[in-house]
Amino acid sequence: MSTTPVSTRTAAAEHRRGAAIGAARKGAIYGIIVSFSLAAIVGIIALLSGDFGETQGRIILMTLLLGATSITALCHLAIADRAMRIVGFVGLAASAITLITGLVLIWRDWDSPGFDEWFKAFATAGILAVSFAHANLLLLLAGRRRAVIRYGLMITLVMIAVVAIMFILPILSNGEIPGPGNEEWYTRVFGVAGILDVLGTVVVPVLAIFVKDAPAVAVADAMGVDAEASAPAPTDHLALTLPADVARALEQRAAADGVDSTTAALDALRRGLQ
């Protein structure tokens, strides 16, 4: 039986990635605070001075856009250090496109040609950014093993995708989808998907709070079954002695994810080795 030391290079890379994600989260928070504060200040000055023109309106729209995209970015960054982080990065890309196209729309001449194309890009990216932000917050529960939570999460994510697609299709098709005569069934399907979306968004996190997660390894019951005989034999063992601060961080992560410390440690090791 062999033991393998944890790679110092892997630990350093994990530390750098964690620091970068932490810095990005702080940046998103600062962006929210600064942008909404600026919007409030500009609005107050404009109202008190009596000089509220087109430029002031564009500045307020710009700061509100920055604040809104910062909020979605913060939601995407919630899973940036999890196994599903690719979904968070896709969401960040959608938020970035929303910000860029929104800034172009705010500061360009609204009567010039090409406005519709820019608006379609902005609306599509905005819907995707909000939908991915919604999904990424729910994906914080992706590590749960209870079937009711896993399937509830899966169904809710599908409904989020359906709602987003049904929002986007009429925009990209200039109203040709659903088309004449199809509005009724399209609205009904959209309504059902929206209701299931809201239901899953409320119910799944509540269940995750009250339903204790299943253990990572099956434990023999009191019927006299030998636990060691029923459990598959491990192929190898790795014993680690953790510093106090790392052990506390591991316990906090396990509590946040609703799993045991062993599962949280294995998830962290897998992420670091990817």
Side-chain angles (χ1 to χ4, degrees), residues 59-217:
I59 292 175
I60 290 178
L61 286 176
M62 181 184 68
T63 52
L64 290 176
L65 175 64
L66 179 59
T69 52
S70 297
I71 291 174
T72 59
L74 191 60
C75 296
H76 305 320
L77 289 168
I79 64 167
D81 56 350
R82 305 292 182 93
M84 299 292 292
R85 56 181 171 270
I86 183 62
V87 184
F89 294 146
V90 173
L92 286 173
S95 293
I97 295 173
T98 303
L99 177 61
I100 294 170
T101 54
L103 290 175
V104 171
L105 285 174
I106 289 171
W107 291 104
R108 78 191 305 273
D109 183 1
W110 294 351
D111 295 326
S112 62
F115 178 85
D116 290 343
E117 286 70 20
W118 280 103
F119 178 78
K120 287 180 183 179
F122 168 74
T124 301
I127 292 170
L128 290 176
V130 173
S131 299
F132 274 109
H134 185 184
N136 285 331
L137 290 179
L138 289 175
L139 282 173
L140 292 171
L141 302 173
R144 296 300 184 92
R145 290 182 295 276
R146 287 293 185 187
V148 63
I149 297 176
R150 289 169 54 200
Y151 291 124
L153 177 60
M154 187 184 307
I155 293 172
T156 305
L157 292 175
V158 171
M159 292 302 105
I160 292 173
V162 170
V163 169
I165 292 171
M166 296 188 75
F167 257 127
I168 291 172
L169 287 178
I171 296 173
L172 295 181
S173 65
N174 293 320
E176 294 182 5
I177 298 176
N182 298 320
E183 295 89 349
E184 183 176 353
W185 71 262
Y186 197 89
T187 303
R188 290 178 185 273
V189 173
F190 178 81
V192 171
I195 291 172
L196 292 176
D197 180 357
V198 174
L199 179 65
T201 301
V202 174
V203 171
V204 173
V206 171
L207 284 175
I209 294 174
F210 291 103
V211 178
K212 188 176 180 181
D213 204 14
V217 179

